Amino acid sequence: MRFDHKRMASIAIMAAVLLAIPLFATGYQRSLLNLYLLWIILAVSFDILRGNTGYVNLAHAAVFGWSSYFFAILVKNGYNIFASMVTATLLSLALAIGVGAPFFRTRGAYYTIITLGFSLLSYSLAYSLDWVTGGWEGISVGLGDMHLPAFYGLFTVTAAAIITSHLIARSRLGLALRTMRENEEAAEALGLDTYSLKLKSLTISSIFPALAGPLYVLYNSYVNPDTVFGLRTIFAPATMALFGGSGTVAGPIIGAIIITTLFEILFTTQLPIRLTIIGVILMIVGLVMPRGLVGIVPRMRRRTLVSRGLGVSKPRLDYLPQR
Amino acid sequence: MLSPAALLELTLAGLLLGGIYSLLSIGLTITFGVARILNLAHGEFMMLSALGVYLFFQFKGGAFNPFSSLAILAPLFFVSGYLFEKFLVRPLRSKPVEVREWTPLLVTLGVALIIEDLAFITVPREFGVSYSLPPTKVFGLTLSTTRLTSLALVTGLALGLHLFLRKTFTGKAIRATIQDREGALTMGINVNRISAITFAVGVSLAAAAGAFLIMIRGIDAYVGLPITAKAVAIVILGGMGSILGSLLGALILGISEVYVSFYSPAWSFTVAWAILILILLVRPQGLLGKRAERI
């Protein structure tokens, strides 16, 4: 990658402005900012797996959920906050890899459905293990106002996720993953170890939700099954990434910002038909713009995005025979 | 410890619940089989049928019992299943390969949310049907006639479906399309028509499950997605696209749910999911599934 002073300077100024905003914000605005960062992390890291390998991992948000729960349980039992954070992150990452690895014996829609199954199991486990998780009441941890530290933590993780996604797209690993995405048998014939490639990308993509969980509990100071394992949460990273445009760096970020804004409007105004509105939007995304917002930008414009390094060029499969 | 009578009662309840689950999940597995699209709105049709039975019972209780209202509702659901395939599933199937794995999930989830919202506006509370026939006495045991009738009807439906799929030309065409869509196409089967018929049958089975379920427990407008999740679990457990596997999975899940909830209701769902994950770790393709393949 060329080193572009002008671009670096503009990124640095943007980052400085973003870092300064919460200092002047109210409590609600701070939690809203944190919410945006959280969803950007989940959408971008979800797309590290989906955008490069094509595997739709609906257990992605569950890793975040378990990480939140582990942290809340540890803190509730009086452990040091920092130590709990590290432990919760490592535990949930181990869970993601340990449970996620056997799922790679399935492919395509089967993988999507099995990972959905894991998320649903997580939901019912969080309900039934009520002596540790508090059942439907959840766990509240009294940590005081931690919005600012959580913001800087989430900001760091967001930046790391975006940079990782950007670097992977340009690395040999990314090239190998995309080869595998287009044709797994052909990739194996070329000598690529597809199983270890999948595990590598699953690990990289799961680090970020595992890190985000404790930070979420830090500012929200409350966790319950519906907020971290509810269907809305399970489907959100996928919806955001695919709405914005999967397989690009910018797409999931745009998707996360738009959908979080929409959810915030719908659920704070308490509209009676809010589920219908979400349903209609989901249907439009799926039926009309399957390539997401970035996908409907005309091809010429996309080429400029690619040359500026904002999007990764993505080979289209339209020429393949339609079944 | 359980008395023999209570054990029989529980087993009966477990068989009935398993039977209801099997109608639901066989419907889901055949629609997934022919279209390779997971319909997340499947449980909504069950909820709508239960809602229909409830409304009939509430306002015309004297004229219709739940069984006869199911007979009236079933053709409606048959037609809506047909239209659902024609206007929603077929356009989704024509999407490029790279997006076909997840767009159906988004679209059918959207449909499910819309149906739930509209049903909630219609009846914004938990609803149930308190319908029972006089109890039957066999060998000194008192058994619920309603449940026995339901169980008989569920068994009858399952047998009828089995015969339909084995003996009729349409049934054989459905099985051929499940096995290999392109193969069926080259053999001169109109796969689009078969898909639509399969969705009509699958949705009707879900509707039947709804009518039987509303007689044993109260439900609300938001029951659809959790019950779809359960049906998905059963379908994965049995092996995707395997009808016998779904039946087996549904019975395992229904009976274990009833037994577990006798001791601790909160655990029934978790035990079911734990059984599922354990079986999948040993056999990723499900109990009776074939080797997983790319769709």
Side-chain angles (χ1 to χ4, degrees), chain B residues 8 167 184 190 199:
Chain B
L8 185 68
K167 300 291 175 195
N190 183 349
F199 268 84

Coordinates of all heavy atoms in Angstrom, one line a residue, chain B residues 8 167 184 190 199:
Chain B
L8 N -47.9 -43.1 32.0 CA -48.7 -43.2 30.8 C -49.2 -41.9 30.3 O -49.1 -41.6 29.1 CB -49.8 -44.2 31.0 CG -50.6 -44.5 29.8 CD1 -49.8 -45.4 28.8 CD2 -51.9 -45.3 30.1
K167 N -46.7 -43.1 -2.9 CA -47.6 -43.8 -3.9 C -48.0 -42.9 -5.1 O -48.1 -43.3 -6.2 CB -48.8 -44.3 -3.3 CG -48.6 -45.3 -2.2 CD -48.0 -46.6 -2.7 CE -47.7 -47.6 -1.6 NZ -46.8 -48.7 -2.0
A184 N -34.2 -34.0 -11.4 CA -35.6 -34.0 -11.5 C -36.0 -33.2 -12.8 O -36.9 -33.6 -13.6 CB -36.3 -33.5 -10.3
N190 N -41.8 -30.7 -13.7 CA -41.9 -29.3 -13.6 C -41.6 -28.9 -12.2 O -42.4 -28.8 -11.3 CB -43.3 -28.9 -14.0 CG -43.6 -27.4 -14.0 OD1 -42.7 -26.7 -13.5 ND2 -44.7 -27.0 -14.5
F199 N -44.6 -26.3 -1.0 CA -44.9 -25.3 0.0 C -46.3 -25.3 0.5 O -46.6 -25.1 1.7 CB -44.5 -23.9 -0.5 CG -43.1 -23.5 -0.2 CD1 -42.1 -24.0 -1.0 CD2 -42.8 -22.8 0.9 CE1 -40.7 -23.7 -0.8 CE2 -41.4 -22.5 1.2 CZ -40.4 -22.9 0.4

